Amino acid sequence: MTSAGNRFTVLQRFLHWLMAICILAMLFIGVGMNSTVAPKYVPLLVSHKTLGVTILVLALIRLAVRLRYGAPPLPADLPQQMRLGAHLSHIALYVLMIALPLLGLTMQWTGAYPIVLYGDIWLPTLLPQSDAMHTLLWDAHHYLAFAFFAVILLHVAAALFHALVRRDGVFESMAPVPTQDEAAPAE
C-alpha cells in the first residue's frame, strides 16, 4: 500500500503519462516513416519532427520537475541490484528522451532539410550542410531509437513486475489515478 507521500506529484505523473503517449506514437510514426516510400512519408515526417520537438521540450520540463521534487523512495527491501538497475534505467530514459530529438534536429540541419512544425512554424537552421555529418547523425538516431525501444520495454517489464509480482507500491507511485487500496478509507 502506498501513501500520498510515496507518490510522484500530480505534475510528474501527468508529464510521465503524456510523454508515454507521445513516445509510443513517435516510435510507431518512426517505424511507419522508415518503412514507406508512399505519399504518406511526408506527413509522417512532419508529424515525427513536430512530436520530436514536443518530446524534447516536455523532457526538459520533466527533468527540471524531477530535479525539483525528486522521487518517492524505493521499497526498503528492494535488492541493491534492482535499485541500481532502476537508477541506471531512469538515467538512460532521460538521456534518450533528450538525445534522440537533438540528434533528429541536428540531422535535419546537416542534411539541409527544413524543420517545419505544426504546419507553419519554421525552426532556423543552426548548422551547416554536411553529407558526412548527416549520415553519421542519421545512423546514431536510427540505432539509438532501437536502444530507446529496448529501454522502454525494460521499463514496462519492471513496472509490471512491481505491480503484479512484488506489489510493493512502486507502480502505484506513478499510476495516473489512485489505486483501489489508496482510495479506500483507512480502517
Side-chain angles (χ1 to χ4, degrees):
M1 211 189 288
T2 58
S3 67
N6 287 337
R7 292 193 61 162
F8 285 90
T9 66
V10 172
L11 178 58
Q12 287 172 307
R13 285 181 279 138
F14 173 76
L15 288 169
H16 175 274
W17 293 104
L18 176 62
M19 289 190 70
I21 292 166
C22 291
I23 289 168
L24 286 176
M26 175 65 89
L27 290 171
F28 283 108
I29 290 168
V31 168
M33 190 176 69
N34 284 314
S35 63
T36 187
V37 292
K40 294 178 184 174
Y41 176 80
V42 173
L44 287 173
L45 180 61
V46 171
S47 297
H48 193 77
K49 290 177 188 181
T50 300
L51 202 47
V53 170
T54 302
I55 289 169
L56 175 61
V57 170
L58 289 173
L60 293 172
I61 292 169
R62 187 168 170 197
L63 181 59
V65 169
R66 174 72 180 255
L67 292 172
R68 169 69 175 92
Y69 294 105
L74 292 170
D77 66 339
L78 193 67
Q80 189 60 33
Q81 296 87 349
M82 292 179 98
R83 287 178 181 279
L84 178 62
H87 180 70
L88 293 176
S89 68
H90 282 98
I91 289 172
L93 285 167
Y94 277 101
V95 166
L96 290 167
M97 285 187 294
I98 293 168
L100 279 165
L102 289 175
L103 283 169
L105 287 169
T106 55
M107 174 181 62
Q108 294 298 299
W109 288 326
T110 59
Y113 297 111
I115 299 176
V116 182
L117 309 176
Y118 306 106
D120 61 353
I121 300 171
W122 290 67
L123 294 183
T125 300
L126 300 179
L127 295 171
Q129 193 271 335
S130 167
D131 292 339
M133 185 57 73
H134 175 74
T135 300
L136 178 68
L137 292 167
W138 190 94
D139 286 343
H141 188 75
H142 179 79
Y143 291 113
L144 283 177
F146 284 108
F148 193 29
F149 185 65
V151 173
I152 290 167
L153 289 176
L154 182 66
H155 184 71
V156 170
L160 291 173
F161 176 74
H162 283 287
L164 303 174
V165 177
R166 282 190 53 96
R167 298 179 186 198
D168 56 10
V170 171
F171 178 81
E172 290 78 7
S173 71
M174 188 54 87
V177 294
T179 61
Q180 190 172 14
D181 290 343
E182 290 178 291
E187 294 182 28

